[in-house]
Amino acid sequence: MYPSSMTTSAGARRVRLTSTGGPEVLRVEAMPVPEPGPGQILITTEAAGVAFHDISTRRGLTPGALPEVQGFDVVGHVARVGAGVAEFTVGQRVGALIGAGGYATHVLAPALRTAPLPEGPPAENLDALMLNYLTAWQMFHRVARPVPGEAVLVLGAAGGVGSALSQIARSAGVEVYGTSSPGRRGRVQAGGATWVANQAAVPVPVAAAFDPVGGPSLAPSRRVTKPSGVVVSYGFSFATGAGYSKVGAMARTIGALLQAKLTPGPRVVVHTVARAVDKDPAGFRADIAALVEQLAAGAIEPEVVTLPLEQAAEAHRRLENREVEGKLVLLP
């Protein structure tokens, strides 16, 4: 029997993370529909994003407790609002950064991490804005702030955030150098970046380097960045598939950050989108509104791969094997 704070609904489903391990630990199951508490809204999900961070979490490499349901970002319609929520109404289309719980047909979201969205664009394109493009926009415009004519380095420029960074930088008049595997060189170039094999191949000092690899990658990223510039670290994909334990991965990460702090050169900033949103909810909504305008104007063009919610395990497999170009989205 479900708690009184939940109701049942035919067809309500979620993808539960049963333990750490491979994609097979993700299980589709029926779910109760929760009631929103104070400051929360209940969203009927149209699209739920899958991120590389989900892979690290599933493998037990990220700090904190293992979430029961993964999924950081969702797009959908407001089904119910909790006490104290006046800025959203039932039926309104919204996007939310929930941190965990997105792989489900019904999702609870903090109102402060929710932004209004238009009805026109496909849900999967809007979902790409909610995490990938928002992360890229914040790192570019709020952290690095390069000016037209300068250059930046984007590691993993064929991926979801990397390709978003390339588009955002190009629209701002900034030159982009992007890394990827040789097989994805054409995609990097199609996104408006000059392909380079690695940091050492960048021909000029850059104003900013955007590094999702972390750990041992930060030092070479700093070497190619101007002393007055910044390396923006926003992940630690170096640990995935490398045989590190959680403790080992964190030790390498902390060691690299300490080395950067104690040696001369460009500063390193660790960017966490959730922290930025919690610090400035109004700024978060302004950023999403700006991205929606850029989407409508054609200045950004998300590349999205969709799979049914029931194929979350397959989504993880593809993402882990670097088979996905752009944003991967689950559709309930």
Side-chain angles (χ1 to χ4, degrees), residues 288-322:
I288 292 296
L291 286 166
V292 169
E293 288 182 4
Q294 292 232 320
L295 180 67
I300 56 175
E301 298 178 8
E303 184 172 355
V304 182
V305 176
T306 62
L307 285 172
L309 180 68
E310 287 74 14
Q311 293 186 28
E314 171 64 11
H316 273 228
R317 187 197 65 78
R318 292 188 191 183
L319 196 61
E320 193 165 6
N321 292 336
R322 307 299 202 279

Side-chain angles (χ1 to χ4, degrees), residues 1-125:
M1 187 172 181
Y2 296 127
S4 58
S5 60
M6 298 184 178
T7 59
T8 57
S9 176
R13 309 178 311 285
R14 66 180 184 177
V15 179
R16 187 164 63 89
L17 181 59
T18 58
S19 66
T20 59
E24 70 279 357
V25 302
L26 297 170
R27 306 284 175 82
V28 181
E29 63 182 27
M31 66 171 287
V33 178
E35 290 289 341
Q40 291 183 320
I41 62 173
L42 176 67
I43 298 173
T44 304
T45 309
E46 289 184 274
V50 182
F52 202 86
H53 183 269
D54 297 346
I55 308 301
S56 301
T57 299
R58 193 200 72 230
R59 287 191 166 273
L61 296 173
T62 56
L66 202 66
E68 189 172 26
V69 178
Q70 294 183 284
F72 194 93
D73 48 297
V74 297
V75 167
H77 289 87
V78 178
R80 299 181 195 125
V81 298
V85 178
E87 62 268 47
F88 299 106
T89 58
V90 172
Q92 184 178 4
R93 200 182 206 189
V94 295
L97 300 177
I98 56 177
Y103 297 2
T105 58
H106 299 76
V107 172
L108 286 178
L112 290 177
R113 284 192 181 186
T114 303
L117 291 174
E119 283 292 345
E124 57 267 29
N125 287 359

Side-chain angles (χ1 to χ4, degrees), residues 90-308:
V90 172
Q92 184 178 4
R93 200 182 206 189
V94 295
L97 300 177
I98 56 177
Y103 297 2
T105 58
H106 299 76
V107 172
L108 286 178
L112 290 177
R113 284 192 181 186
T114 303
L117 291 174
E119 283 292 345
E124 57 267 29
N125 287 359
L126 291 174
D127 187 74
L129 304 187
M130 292 306 303
L131 182 59
N132 289 20
Y133 278 81
L134 176 66
T135 301
W137 182 272
Q138 289 179 337
M139 292 192 299
F140 187 89
H141 285 291
R142 293 186 178 269
V143 180
R145 299 179 180 176
V147 300
E150 288 188 312
V152 299
L153 169 64
V154 176
L155 300 186
V161 176
S163 59
L165 274 164
S166 294
Q167 292 179 22
I168 290 168
R170 182 185 60 192
S171 69
V174 171
E175 185 177 5
V176 183
Y177 294 95
T179 71
S180 74
S181 63
R184 304 175 89 178
R185 178 174 182 168
R187 171 173 166 76
V188 172
Q189 294 171 328
T194 299
W195 184 83
V196 290
N198 51 47
Q199 294 103 314
V202 179
V204 298
V206 297
F210 300 96
D211 190 328
V213 182
S217 177
L218 295 182
S221 288
R222 292 184 79 218
R223 283 195 288 270
V224 76
T225 304
K226 297 176 182 178
S228 59
V230 60
V231 174
V232 187
S233 175
Y234 65 103
F236 49 96
S237 64
F238 79 90
T240 303
Y244 291 104
S245 65
K246 181 188 292 189
V247 173
M250 289 305 298
R252 291 294 298 272
T253 299
I254 293 170
L257 291 172
L258 285 174
Q259 182 182 18
K261 189 171 184 178
L262 296 173
T263 55
R267 63 195 175 103
V268 175
V269 173
V270 178
H271 182 76
T272 304
V273 67
R275 190 178 304 146
V277 170
D278 290 341
K279 184 178 179 180
D280 185 7
F284 152 61
R285 289 173 182 162
D287 290 343
I288 292 296
L291 286 166
V292 169
E293 288 182 4
Q294 292 232 320
L295 180 67
I300 56 175
E301 298 178 8
E303 184 172 355
V304 182
V305 176
T306 62
L307 285 172

